[in-house]
Amino acid sequence: MKKIIVMNGPNLNLLGTREPEKYGSATLADVEKLCQETAKNLGFSVEFLQSNHEGPLIDKIQEAGLAYKAGQVQGVVFNPGAYTHTSVALHDAIAAVAGLPVIEVHISNVHAREAFRHHSYISPVAAGIVVGFGIQGYALAIEGLAKK
Ligand code: CA2
């Protein structure tokens, strides 16, 4: 069974515990369950991870690139959190694994928020972007990847 990797960046481990007006009341465990169920119905398995640090996210993108070339991975769903707006290193990691589809997801509509959230270092190297649909955005991204 091919795998979809779902990655989450800094502070997303706090989902459902604070700021429900911005990010809803679902926890990251709820997001994982949604991803597992959505992928299973489409015939894929899910590897789900969250990190508050750039390095492990970069390592996983590189690993996903090799697994994609080996035909084991369908693609990556990635909510980079605040690294979206700061990380040239994540941009470069995705650019370096040519071909690997990475779908950028944001729970909130970043374009309706502060100006510093309007720029993404990830979007130019993403295969698709899902913004502002709450945690359902993860399911939409998985559905999109399944058709790639
Ligand atoms: O809307 C999104 O998914 C974001 O990627 C969330 C990031 C934010 O920096 C991006 O601009 C947009 C923040 C994730 C922090 O998540 C928390 C959840 C609950 C409580 C505190 C933080």
Side-chain angles (χ1 to χ4, degrees):
M1 190 185 273
K2 261 194 183 180
K3 185 162 77 175
I4 290 175
I5 300 174
V6 182
M7 298 178 28
N8 293 278
N11 296 311
L12 283 156
N13 54 313
L14 300 176
L15 213 56
T17 67
R18 281 188 260 153
E19 306 195 80
E21 67 290 350
K22 284 184 193 128
Y23 303 117
S25 55
T27 65
L28 196 62
D30 296 327
V31 175
E32 176 166 11
K33 195 163 170 256
L34 171 68
C35 291
Q36 295 284 4
E37 282 168 5
T38 307
K40 194 176 165 198
N41 288 337
L42 294 163
F44 295 92
S45 66
V46 161
E47 178 182 346
F48 193 89
L49 67 135
Q50 186 273 332
S51 179
N52 288 328
H53 308 278
E54 234 168 352
L57 298 169
I58 292 166
D59 290 344
K60 186 55 72 176
I61 292 282
Q62 292 183 6
E63 195 188 294
L66 294 175
Y68 176 77
K69 278 191 194 125
Q72 297 155 352
V73 157
Q74 181 75 3
V76 173
V77 172
F78 189 19
N79 184 345
Y83 285 149
T84 307
H85 319 298
T86 63
S87 183
V88 175
L90 279 166
H91 169 109
D92 287 352
I94 297 168
V97 289
L100 171 74
V102 175
I103 312 295
E104 178 183 353
V105 170
H106 297 289
I107 296 167
S108 63
N109 177 0
V110 284
H111 297 289
R113 299 182 63 190
E114 303 96 319
F116 68 83
R117 295 185 203 275
H118 298 178
H119 177 261
S120 168
Y121 282 99
I122 308 304
S123 296
V125 287
I129 308 164
V130 183
V131 169
F133 283 93
I135 69 162
Q136 284 303 324
Y138 289 84
L140 294 171
I142 289 170
E143 283 166 13
L145 263 186
K147 295 195 177 106
K148 275 259 164 210

